[in-house]
Amino acid sequence: MARSSGGPAAVAELRSGQRSRAMLLLRALVDIASAHPALPGPLPPPRDAWHLLVRAERRSPAAVDRLLLHPPVGVWLNRCLRRLRGLESGDGPLWSAVGYLHAVAASAALLAGIDFRGAVPVRDGGVILPALGFARLPDRADVAEVVMTDRKAAVVSGPYAVTLPADFSEEAPGWHGLRRLRGEHRGIVCSPYVDDIDPYRDFLRIRGPQRLTDKERQGWQERFDSAWRLVAQQREVDPRGIGACLSSVVPVPYVAWPEPFSASSPEAYGCVLLGGATDPLTLAAALVHEAQHIKLSALMDLVPLIEQGLEEIHYAPWRLDPRPLRGLFQGVYAFAGVTGFWQDRLRRAGSGPAGDTAAFEFALRRAQTSSGLRTLLDHAELTPMGQEFLHRLEERLAQWLARPVPSVPGRLAADLIEDHRMVHRMRHLRPDPGRLAQWARAWRERSEPPRELPGTSVRPTRTEALTRPALARLRLRDPEGFARLREAGGAGSPDGGDAPDRTDLDRAAPDRAALNRVALDRADLNRAAPDRADLDWAAGDTTAALRRYRGRVAADPDDIAAWAGLALSLPGGPARTALLSHPELVLAVHREVRTAPGTGPDPVALARWIGARTGR
């Protein structure tokens, strides 16, 4: 997996391990639930569902496998076990949550084609049959029955009955079948469910059915098909392996800025949460990214690669919040896959905006991966297998790091690596108060500070989205749209000039699709319209950017993004060196010596003074 990123044979082994894991969890749940004093409630005993599953497996092992590997079943198993053990609270009665087991057994029996009659819980106005669909019921009963006779199936509640179609994925009166997306390119197929009905489809929270309209589903299909074509074209991450491990896509309402939201979980093997519409390139990269997470999580269930890894937190170059080493391992592998995807796009794209965009993403992702990998090799307690895994990954990454990229995409990517690291350090690192006071006193008295730098402690705190990555992407993908936005003046800055109104911004960037591609849609612009200093930085006009970042820091000395922008715009020298190497110290000394707003020292002079002394 470290070398070829996992083809179909490797994924088959991973799926086998996940099936065994699900069986163990399921048996544990049945045993614990059978002895629980508050169960079974109005449903039959949990062992009845277990016996139905045994019957189904004897008739059709594939039917039971389909249920055991259905992502919502994995989410439910983990949530329900934690609730039974008192480790998690839940909404709704316990018997209803445990009763999902009866729905799992009913689905397996329906797929196996055996005659049966079984009680299942009713919730959210109907009955969910995992991996099959949702039957809407008009009454308010707590329990319904699923009946299969002579291959005719129905969900029955009192006088009401919903007849299930022969093809469970089809629509029928009262029945919403679980539908699929489909992507195919040169015989490489990926056909995950698009799950909009199962209460456990979203591993971040339990949600009732939210059926996509025909138009919404068609939009997802078109975007997925276009994205899959890009995934299948590349050969850096085996596309057949990606197709084999993506079993469900879940549309969710979550947003992330400046990049679209996507997520996966070890508890939901094969599931990807996706928020909102995005362009095919971004969606394709997200699919590769999440597939890497899915594969590594399944591998780590089988093979220990890292010991512990949750006790200490470190800088992750793709997130502003500190991450545990185990999470860093996941990020390194995921972004190695994304790096490979963009390397392939760079090879295919040629010159122009497409080539510049691919070069930028490739340069950014390889640098992030390299940084995270070095942290793991320096700090993680790896098993022998984990060391071998990462060293093979390191060999592959070395080839990518040796590849040259054009100057403008390379400069933007390098700046953003520094930008992210500085913002992280200023946001989360706190210098030792005693040493900090000595440095502040030395500045006030124009004396020499201690030779030792203040030690720092990590204090995770609120993070914020950065605008500069989105502007870099806009400049490369849509140079004309970026020029219009810059001409309109962005959001203004403290050095003078009025900010444009909403009409100015709309006129500056009328290509809504271009803005969507970089996550700068209307809502984002309303929330955080691009600042003039950031626009100047993205354009490469460091003189104008430096002047405006100075103005921002003067207006708000705690504007961390402005401090980082200041460093990016400074020419080489002690001031730039200090801000790049010890931004938390420069900011902390500035805070220590200022007595009121507008009374602090000149930020560049302070940074120059610190840089001259830390470089001794």
Side-chain angles (χ1 to χ4, degrees), residues 5-20:
S5 298
V11 172
E13 292 289 338
L14 298 178
R15 286 177 61 85
S16 177
Q18 289 299 295
R19 182 193 186 282
S20 297

Side-chain angles (χ1 to χ4, degrees), residues 80-91:
C80 200
L81 277 169
R82 287 194 293 269
R83 188 171 176 185
L84 285 168
R85 290 167 174 161
L87 302 176
E88 179 176 301
S89 60
D91 54 345

Side-chain angles (χ1 to χ4, degrees), residues 62-86:
V64 174
D65 283 358
R66 180 169 165 182
L67 267 298
L68 291 174
L69 293 170
H70 189 51
V73 173
V75 176
W76 162 74
L77 274 170
N78 285 275
R79 277 182 172 271
C80 200
L81 277 169
R82 287 194 293 269
R83 188 171 176 185
L84 285 168
R85 290 167 174 161

Side-chain angles (χ1 to χ4, degrees), residues 154-177:
V155 178
V156 180
S157 177
Y160 304 106
V162 176
T163 301
L164 276 55
D167 181 348
F168 298 118
S169 65
E170 292 181 351
E171 296 290 287
W175 174 254
H176 295 309

Side-chain angles (χ1 to χ4, degrees), residues 8-348:
V11 172
E13 292 289 338
L14 298 178
R15 286 177 61 85
S16 177
Q18 289 299 295
R19 182 193 186 282
S20 297
R21 181 177 184 274
M23 283 291 292
L24 290 171
L25 292 177
L26 186 62
R27 185 53 194 254
L29 185 142
V30 170
D31 290 345
I32 295 172
S34 296
H36 198 286
L39 296 172
L43 290 169
R47 293 196 188 281
D48 285 12
W50 177 266
H51 295 318
L52 183 57
L53 278 169
V54 170
R55 286 180 59 200
E57 186 175 38
R58 287 172 179 164
R59 173 71 66 84
S60 175
V64 174
D65 283 358
R66 180 169 165 182
L67 267 298
L68 291 174
L69 293 170
H70 189 51
V73 173
V75 176
W76 162 74
L77 274 170
N78 285 275
R79 277 182 172 271
C80 200
L81 277 169
R82 287 194 293 269
R83 188 171 176 185
L84 285 168
R85 290 167 174 161
L87 302 176
E88 179 176 301
S89 60
D91 54 345
L94 178 62
W95 67 262
S96 180
V98 175
Y100 188 88
L101 171 63
H102 292 278
V104 170
S107 288
L110 289 169
L111 288 171
I114 61 177
D115 291 349
F116 76 100
R117 177 183 291 268
V120 292
V122 176
R123 60 181 299 168
D124 300 314
V127 168
I128 183 68
L129 291 173
L132 301 184
F134 181 74
R136 291 200 174 276
L137 297 172
D139 68 346
R140 297 184 178 275
D142 292 329
V143 175
E145 281 192 314
V146 182
V147 182
M148 179 83 158
T149 305
D150 295 331
R151 294 194 171 273
K152 294 181 180 180
V155 178
V156 180
S157 177
Y160 304 106
V162 176
T163 301
L164 276 55
D167 181 348
F168 298 118
S169 65
E170 292 181 351
E171 296 290 287
W175 174 254
H176 295 309
L178 183 59
R179 301 170 294 191
R180 289 185 181 272
L181 300 173
R182 180 176 174 82
E184 181 174 3
H185 181 69
R186 295 182 179 176
I188 303 175
V189 178
C190 183
S191 186
Y193 294 117
V194 55
D195 197 340
D196 52 6
I197 55 175
D198 197 293
Y200 296 100
R201 67 191 182 277
D202 178 351
F203 49 77
L204 297 178
R205 64 170 183 165
I206 298 175
R207 293 198 290 128
Q210 293 177 305
R211 194 66 164 173
L212 296 174
T213 65
D214 290 342
K215 182 178 180 181
E216 289 170 334
R217 180 179 176 275
Q218 184 59 33
W220 277 99
Q221 172 56 44
E222 291 171 358
R223 290 189 296 275
F224 184 83
D225 184 60
S226 298
W228 182 251
R229 187 182 306 275
L230 298 174
V231 174
Q233 283 175 357
Q234 57 84 40
R235 291 295 180 267
E236 294 296 325
V237 182
D238 194 321
R240 290 179 173 82
I242 295 174
C245 76
L246 291 179
S247 56
S248 76
V249 167
V250 178
V252 293
Y254 314 132
V255 295
W257 195 81
E259 298 182 33
F261 176 87
S262 69
S264 53
S265 168
E267 295 184 355
Y269 175 78
C271 173
V272 176
L273 307 185
L274 291 172
T278 187
D279 67 288
L281 265 174
T282 305
L283 178 54
L287 293 175
V288 173
H289 179 105
E290 300 304 341
Q292 293 286 92
H293 279 311
I294 291 166
K295 288 181 286 186
L296 183 61
S297 293
L299 178 66
M300 293 173 81
D301 280 340
L302 296 174
V303 180
L305 301 177
I306 180 173
E307 302 290 355
Q308 306 303 319
L310 296 175
E311 302 75 29
E312 56 184 80
I313 52 178
H314 291 264
Y315 169 61
W318 44 82
R319 291 179 60 139
L320 284 174
D321 55 327
R323 299 291 292 157
L325 287 166
R326 188 171 290 270
L328 203 60
F329 203 122
Q330 279 282 352
V332 163
Y333 191 65
F335 279 104
V338 174
T339 301
F341 172 81
W342 286 111
Q343 192 275 342
D344 186 87
R345 295 312 305 170
L346 177 58
R347 179 175 61 85
R348 297 171 183 272

